[in-house]
Amino acid sequence: MIALVDCDNFYVSCERAFAPRLEGLPVGVLSNNDGCVVARSRELKALGVAMGAPLHLLPPAIRRQAVLLSSNYALYGDMSRRVNQVLAEFSPDVEMYSIDESFIGFAGFDTAGLEAHCHRLRDTVCRWTGIPVGVGLAPTRVLAKVANHLAKQQSAYEGVCRLEADSAVTRHVLERLPVVELWGVARRTGERLALMGIDTAWQLRQADPGRIRRAFSVVLERLVWELRGHPAIDLDDLAEPRRCILVSRSFGRLTGEPGDLQAAVRQHAARAAEKLRRQGSLARAVQVFLRTSPFQVGEPQYRNSVVVPLAGPTTDSRDLFEAAGRGLAAIFRDGYRYQKCGVMLLDLVDDRARQLSLLEESRSEAERDRSQRLMATVDRLNREMGRDTVRFGLPGKDNAWALRCERRTSRYTTRWDELMRVKIG
DNA sequence: TCTGGGGTCCTAGGACCC
DNA sequence: TCTGGGGTCCTAGGACCC
């Protein structure tokens, strides 16, 4: 059996864990730039605020009533780690799927006692971290997702719902579940399934897997098997490094200044380089992209991207800056107001296992050594003394590209100074 | 004035080869 | 004038996830 543990309204729950006064109030957490609502408390959902609703389009009455906070990813990341530490007490097989969801394998456990085990798990997470979670228990990941949904929806389950592969309950549930609410089926696929007369999860389960594969893809075929109770989806091995690294941001306000674009691309390249070194990979290409705002109807629109190959696999921020800068110069056009740009590192190879061919090697041994020591020092200083302690000639704050986040709460769990500020204030 | 960010996987189709 | 067939590799873009 597999359990899916999913935190209730995770970002909101993190905020509440440190500010009990938020309990019972309509609370929302905003995306970067305070753009959209990306997490909602039960009370805010009840007010009719949709997931992803733009802040500036919310009715004034709701804006007055609700507590809307900027996102505080340092806090959420740390809380996520704590939740997973508790989960590890209940099974050696914990796969973190996203910041607020983890799958837990229970191979070898006594299946009769699993529900009680999951109730203890849920109580312990809540007691130790303050985060409420729901648990779905089933033979496959897709069914565990469905079970998790039920656990949260129907209070009778008290947060833990178990679904068997073949039972009257499972059939009853799947017959009433629109197919687009399944994990892995969204609008596009839903529309095409509807043309085949498949509207519910149960109808998809009954469909011929071969036919589904031919009409769609192996992805959807696997879903059919999972619905029938045959595991067909493996999660990525967590030890696997990322295959690409992306850093992108919207601008605080639209800008057509080449200097703004250059500074932002540099900043994103610097963050991407840190991520790259943290996971111990080297990049062989850099992609740069930019775009205007699709929401500005009537304004001229432009979007473009370019891939710049690197002379050899590298982790050196200076190489990445240089390539990103060339990429930007190639696609930048005057006369547009840009909304967003980003830098992606591609073609990553493992630092330890790399095989440098003579052709790929563009630096001498000594140069490479110096570069690695320099980058390690930069990363260490930034880690220990705070982000941006050491930068590569970047300008300061207050640019068009600086983020807006006016409503952020303190980083309680990772910044002593901010914790103190709360207590004194 | 203001509409998020970071990923993965898969497929179609082009280029190229024999 | 006729104008194959099959294979591989790569990339762009679609679809989806949280």
Side-chain angles (χ1 to χ4, degrees), chain A residues 323-384:
Chain A
R326 271 193 295 136
L328 177 63
I331 57 175
F332 179 83
R333 298 285 179 274
D334 267 323
Y336 296 99
R337 298 198 307 148
Y338 294 97
Q339 184 247 340
K340 182 177 191 168
C341 67
V343 172
M344 198 170 351
L345 306 183
L346 306 169
D347 238 344
L348 307 189
V349 288
D350 191 347
D351 196 6
R352 289 150 304 212
R354 72 178 162 162
Q355 299 281 318
L356 286 180
S357 75
L358 287 173
L359 281 175
E360 278 184 321
E361 185 50 274
S362 60
R363 283 209 172 81
S364 77
E365 193 72 26
E367 270 180 303
R368 206 171 59 230
D369 215 51
R370 244 191 335 266
S371 153
Q372 279 181 358
R373 280 207 309 273
L374 173 62
M375 292 305 132
T377 305
V378 168
D379 288 342
R380 186 170 52 78
L381 285 171
N382 283 335
R383 206 167 46 239
E384 290 172 3

Side-chain angles (χ1 to χ4, degrees), chain A residues 12 83 148 170 237 274 349 381 407:
Chain A
V12 170
V83 168
N148 184 278
T170 301
D237 186 346
E274 285 170 17
V349 288
L381 285 171
R407 306 148 179 265

